[in-house]
Amino acid sequence: MIESAITSQGTTTLETSPTRYIEGRGIRFAYRRLGPSSGTPLVLLQHFSGNIDAWDPAVVNALASDRPVIAFDNAGVGRSTGQTPDNIAAMARDAVDFINLLGLSEVDLLGFSLGGCVAQEIAAEHGRLVRKLILVGTAPKGGEEHLLAVLHEAFSQTDAPDPRLPLFFTKSSASQASGLAFLKRTKLRKDDRDTDNGSAVTDPQAKALITWCATPDPGDTMLRAIRQPTFMASGSDDTMLRANNACAMFKALSNAYLVLYPDSGHGALFQHHKTFVSHVRTFLEA
Amino acid sequence: MIESAITSQGTTTLETSPTRYIEGRGIRFAYRRLGPSSGTPLVLLQHFSGNIDAWDPAVVNALASDRPVIAFDNAGVGRSTGQTPDNIAAMARDAVDFINLLGLSEVDLLGFSLGGCVAQEIAAEHGRLVRKLILVGTAPKGGEEHLLAVLHEAFSQTDAPDPRLPLFFTKSSASQASGLAFLKRTKLRKDDRDTDNGSAVTDPQAKALITWCATPDPGDTMLRAIRQPTFMASGSDDTMLRANNACAMFKALSNAYLVLYPDSGHGALFQHHKTFVSHVRTFLEA
């Protein structure tokens, strides 16, 4: 276990904090740690194709104002070494390895999209490691996904400056304006930016997400194994992993809050970042 | 227009504030006004059979910490004079008369259950009067209600100290404990309590609610007439006006947030009062 020499903490932001590295089990994980040093850390699990710099500073920094927040690249992603697995269970094992390497015995998890599938698996399989669970724009095992169709449509929009505009936001002018503001925030960091992901990451990630949704889970055994208080959020018009998924998960989970946001797509948490952060803080502090 | 001489405001609570009266259009309305004198007032619209003292002080006082909050008895209810109408439209007209009598040109509305139906009607018909709308445990026109069945079951539980325990809370020990705490809070006020309602109130109210739900609204014309930002909340296991109603309304409304609370019935706002108040404040302040 080797941690880089950089240990300053506290007032840094996602845009200004140094990227750190920690190594173990053959993988060197890249991460950033924000916020105070004490308190239950909130570990962020990223969406399909995303790296550390794909998180919204408006969300991450606000959450880190009074709790430790850790953004990281799972195995193979961004500047982490290793292979990106093609299944959620292996991604969950890699993430747990990372959390263990940091010496954390209890964390809160925020999983977005693909990261929400990984978060479910961790919460179900590692009950004592996870205190509270936040699932955003995600799907249960056997859920409904439209990944390839939506990706195809997004990438066919050659006039979009970034595929996340059609992927994460609705067609309304308000949502698109929010999308542009979000993209601007994600580009504030100029130095030491994370590495973009290629097909060595996105191909296995796509297979993992599609397989997860194509695998029925009769009796919702995984959701029923999740005993942690859970907060679920979804956009009204998420085209990739529809809000129906969140509604179905809400019914199967024993202790879940569900929030749906207006006029929003897969990136509802970025579009409604102030309200989302307020909801998450209320949930984590309850 | 006659207002009682009592004009003190500010630090009073639902339990300690004087009941005031204001008269016009042949009705003397009983009400209590809490919180600061400036800011958009939040007007509360009460559930079937409820009076001013059926509100939860934990909810009302917390909301009144930084905004004016007005609880009142609509026509015929509690200590207000006049006849309780047997339809939602007339209840909405009476409520608008009351708001006009107070000289308020713009208000926020929080409607619970039957009060949520009245709030929808007011928001749709009086667009400029209503700034923001909060709908809790309610149904749209043509929605699903189980009022009589649930009332019958609640009143047949002779061991329940108050029908609101089976009506508003789930059978779980946590929810029932929350219910007992809620009932205790509603009984903190000893003097100048509101008058309980008899069948002259509950019979027309039941007819109004049942008729509202039995009247289809093709194309959701009423919901589509609501342009105000709307926050909707429902309990996971509301037996009277199921959460399905809130989900259906969320889809038809153009600018709505939906929150569902865990292990809770019709009284989710009382059971989860801290989280509910936080959500409402976040919504009103956005």
Side-chain angles (χ1 to χ4, degrees):
Chain A
M1 189 185 308
I2 303 159
E3 183 162 7
S4 73
I6 301 158
T7 55
S8 65
Q9 286 179 14
T11 56
T12 54
T13 65
L14 186 67
E15 309 93 290
T16 60
S17 64
T19 306
R20 307 170 187 208
Y21 299 92
I22 192 164
E23 190 165 341
R25 298 216 182 200
I27 297 170
R28 191 182 80 143
F29 290 96
Y31 72 103
R32 291 188 208 139
R33 181 171 178 149
L34 311 175
S37 54
S38 66
T40 304
L42 175 64
V43 176
L44 311 181
L45 295 157
Q46 186 58 296
H47 65 79
F48 167 80
S49 85
N51 60 23
I52 293 173
D53 284 311
W55 286 110
D56 186 346
V59 169
V60 176
N61 298 341
L63 289 172
S65 67
D66 59 355
R67 72 190 65 250
V69 174
I70 297 166
F72 79 110
D73 286 326
N74 210 345
V77 176
R79 287 189 283 186
S80 288
T81 64
Q83 291 274 324
T84 300
D86 66 358
N87 64 88
I88 301 294
M91 291 177 184
R93 284 193 296 273
D94 290 336
V96 169
D97 283 348
F98 167 71
I99 292 166
N100 288 336
L101 282 170
L102 290 179
L104 304 173
S105 57
E106 188 181 62
V107 298
D108 296 328
L109 293 179
L110 188 164
F112 173 33
S113 191
L114 174 75
C117 308
V118 178
Q120 290 170 63
E121 179 95 23
I122 297 173
E125 298 293 328
H126 302 269
R128 279 180 294 186
L129 184 62
V130 183
R131 188 186 72 112
K132 292 191 176 185
L133 184 62
I134 300 157
L135 302 174
V136 186
T138 193
K141 247 188 179 171
E144 179 185 349
E145 59 83 16
H146 303 272
L147 179 67
L148 295 183
V150 170
L151 282 178
H152 176 75
E153 191 190 343
F155 282 96
S156 67
Q157 295 189 26
T158 51
D159 59 332
D162 187 301
R164 286 174 291 180
L165 276 181
L167 275 173
F168 284 8
F169 299 88
T170 74
K171 290 174 179 166
S172 80
S173 56
S175 187
Q176 286 294 306
S178 293
L180 287 171
F182 157 72
L183 290 177
K184 196 172 172 186
R185 293 193 296 270
T186 64
K187 290 165 186 167
L188 286 173
R189 186 182 183 104
K190 300 297 175 196
D191 301 322
D192 181 33
R193 283 187 66 85
D194 205 356
T195 309
D196 286 340
N197 294 305
S199 60
V201 172
T202 56
D203 284 357
Q205 282 186 338
K207 183 177 173 191
L209 182 58
I210 291 166
T211 305
W212 170 268
C213 287
T215 308
D217 183 17
D220 296 312
T221 54
M222 175 159 292
L223 293 174
R224 294 190 187 282
I226 295 174
R227 310 303 300 173
Q228 293 90 345
T230 302
F231 174 87
M232 291 194 304
S234 184
S236 57
D237 298 279
D238 190 328
T239 51
M240 197 158 11
L241 298 170
R242 294 198 174 139
N244 294 349
N245 283 309
C247 295
M249 293 167 76
F250 175 79
K251 287 178 184 165
L253 288 165
S254 60
N255 187 6
Y257 295 81
L258 170 66
V259 180
L260 303 184
Y261 295 95
D263 181 28
S264 50
H266 201 53
L269 74 171
F270 307 142
Q271 179 171 339
H272 295 281
H273 59 89
K274 283 186 187 169
T275 299
F276 174 74
V277 166
S278 175
H279 289 166
V280 168
R281 289 168 64 122
T282 297
F283 168 69
L284 291 176
E285 288 160 15
Chain B
M1 190 186 304
I2 305 159
E3 185 164 6
S4 73
I6 301 157
T7 55
S8 65
Q9 286 180 15
T11 57
T12 54
T13 64
L14 187 67
E15 311 94 290
T16 59
S17 63
T19 306
R20 304 171 189 208
Y21 299 91
I22 193 163
E23 191 166 341
R25 299 217 182 199
I27 297 170
R28 192 181 81 144
F29 290 95
Y31 72 103
R32 291 186 208 141
R33 182 171 178 149
L34 312 175
S37 54
S38 65
T40 305
L42 175 63
V43 176
L44 311 180
L45 294 157
Q46 186 58 294
H47 65 78
F48 168 80
S49 85
N51 60 22
I52 292 173
D53 284 311
W55 288 110
D56 186 345
V59 169
V60 176
N61 297 340
L63 289 173
S65 67
D66 58 358
R67 71 190 65 250
V69 175
I70 297 166
F72 80 110
D73 287 324
N74 210 344
V77 175
R79 286 188 283 186
S80 289
T81 63
Q83 290 273 322
T84 301
D86 67 358
N87 64 89
I88 301 294
M91 290 176 184
R93 284 194 296 273
D94 289 336
V96 169
D97 282 347
F98 167 70
I99 293 167
N100 288 336
L101 281 171
L102 290 180
L104 304 172
S105 57
E106 188 180 62
V107 298
D108 296 329
L109 293 180
L110 188 164
F112 172 34
S113 190
L114 174 75
C117 307
V118 178
Q120 290 170 64
E121 179 95 24
I122 297 173
E125 298 292 329
H126 301 269
R128 282 181 292 187
L129 183 63
V130 183
R131 189 186 72 112
K132 292 192 175 185
L133 184 63
I134 300 157
L135 302 174
V136 186
T138 194
K141 247 187 180 174
E144 180 184 348
E145 58 82 17
H146 303 272
L147 178 68
L148 296 183
V150 170
L151 284 177
H152 177 77
E153 192 190 342
F155 281 97
S156 68
Q157 294 189 29
T158 51
D159 58 331
D162 188 300
R164 286 174 292 181
L165 277 180
L167 277 173
F168 283 7
F169 300 88
T170 75
K171 290 175 179 167
S172 79
S173 57
S175 187
Q176 286 293 307
S178 294
L180 288 170
F182 157 70
L183 290 177
K184 197 172 170 184
R185 293 194 296 272
T186 64
K187 290 167 185 166
L188 286 173
R189 186 183 183 102
K190 300 297 177 194
D191 301 321
D192 180 33
R193 284 186 67 83
D194 205 355
T195 309
D196 287 339
N197 294 306
S199 59
V201 171
T202 56
D203 284 358
Q205 282 187 336
K207 185 179 172 191
L209 182 59
I210 292 166
T211 304
W212 170 269
C213 288
T215 307
D217 182 18
D220 296 312
T221 53
M222 176 159 290
L223 293 174
R224 294 191 187 280
I226 295 174
R227 310 304 300 174
Q228 293 89 346
T230 302
F231 174 87
M232 291 194 304
S234 183
S236 58
D237 298 278
D238 190 326
T239 52
M240 196 156 13
L241 297 171
R242 293 198 176 139
N244 293 348
N245 284 308
C247 296
M249 292 166 77
F250 174 78
K251 287 178 184 163
L253 287 165
S254 60
N255 187 6
Y257 295 81
L258 170 66
V259 181
L260 303 184
Y261 296 95
D263 181 28
S264 50
H266 200 53
L269 75 170
F270 308 141
Q271 179 171 340
H272 295 281
H273 59 91
K274 284 186 186 170
T275 299
F276 173 74
V277 166
S278 175
H279 289 166
V280 168
R281 290 169 64 122
T282 297
F283 167 70
L284 291 176
E285 288 160 16

